[in-house]
Amino acid sequence: MADADSPDPLARKALAAKIRDACIRVGFFYIKNHSIPTSLPEAAIEHSLPFFALPEEEKMKYDIHASSNFKGYNAFLSENTDPEGRGDLNEGFNFGWEALEDEDGKVTENAWNHTDGPMSGMNVWPNGGEDMKAFRRALLTYYHSAVKLGLRLFPLLALALDLPENFFDDKVTKPAAIMRILHYPPQSGPVDDRVIGIGAHTDYEVFTILYQQDEIPALQVLNSAGKWIQAIPIHGTLVVNLGDQLARWTNDVFKSTVHRAINRSGVRRYSIPLFFGTDYDVPIEALPSCVSDTHPAKYEPITAGEYVKSRLEATYTRSKAT
């Protein structure tokens, strides 16, 4: 990402060309020189440990199933991303944009006027003492850094599609950026593919920025030959994978690749994905440059919010039925 903000347009276009190649061939890529210190996601994980150590009945006070906007705590096996699965073996905490105060209680980030949509609205933070306050602050600190990085990616994706760099500017005025911190226990012995860390799925938004801990592999990507490939952690990098919104926009020219997570490391694993979509009222419709007589549009137009809501409802409906 060193050239992402270069004053030289040729340098930006060269970086976008690399991203285009990865988007067409794989749908996943690693980024470095992204300006986010590793200490931020590491602090978010460290401060999440007291929350995840709470008794189950305490964590369930913040159950995501009781939330109208898909915020709060998801328990083990409470989600089922793969229709063929029996539930995902992870627990997590889910939240969206919120202003972050400084030590004096002043807001340090400009507030966005939230789009009316299914995932907008208040976050659901746990009550408690200083450890729960530190949990919120550490998560939001990393969240705001990741959102700033995401906003730097949109012009590069536009260039990768031979569009003006500002193509997405009016589509991310109130970005629908949802973050999760996920805890995966280790799985040992025979693994039932129907119950793994997270089942085979694609992500729903434009792209995901993923922090995964060093030396704890779990993420696997399904390649074009139908084989699962380990996306091993590389120190100092973040993983970016494309989501369904961008695949629909590009008529599958850019790939929203199937992936899953299986933690066979023998230790607990934590990861932090940021799912970055457009404003909820933005229509997602195939770009004219990605449609032709031989490659007609595959998907009906739909707003970003309607699409993400339908996918989330399907995920939680399946989990309730299992």
Side-chain angles (χ1 to χ4, degrees), residues 96-101 107-111 114 123 136 140 144:
W97 188 90
E98 182 177 323
L100 179 62
E101 308 84 12
V107 174
T108 59
E109 300 286 343
N110 292 327
H114 285 196
N123 290 319
R136 172 185 174 272
L140 285 176
H144 281 283

Side-chain angles (χ1 to χ4, degrees), residues 67-137:
S67 166
S68 62
N69 59 358
F70 304 98
K71 307 285 180 63
Y73 172 70
N74 63 273
F76 291 113
L77 305 179
S78 68
E79 296 180 346
N80 193 17
T81 52
D82 184 350
E84 303 299 320
R86 294 183 174 178
D88 297 334
L89 193 58
N90 70 68
E91 61 174 344
F93 191 84
N94 308 258
F95 61 101
W97 188 90
E98 182 177 323
L100 179 62
E101 308 84 12
D102 63 20
E103 297 294 340
D104 297 324
K106 297 178 180 178
V107 174
T108 59
E109 300 286 343
N110 292 327
W112 290 328
N113 294 320
H114 285 196
T115 307
D116 290 335
M119 284 68 67
S120 61
M122 298 289 290
N123 290 319
V124 181
W125 296 106
N127 298 319
E130 291 303 317
D131 54 351
M132 292 301 110
K133 292 179 182 178
F135 171 61
R136 172 185 174 272
R137 183 172 186 80

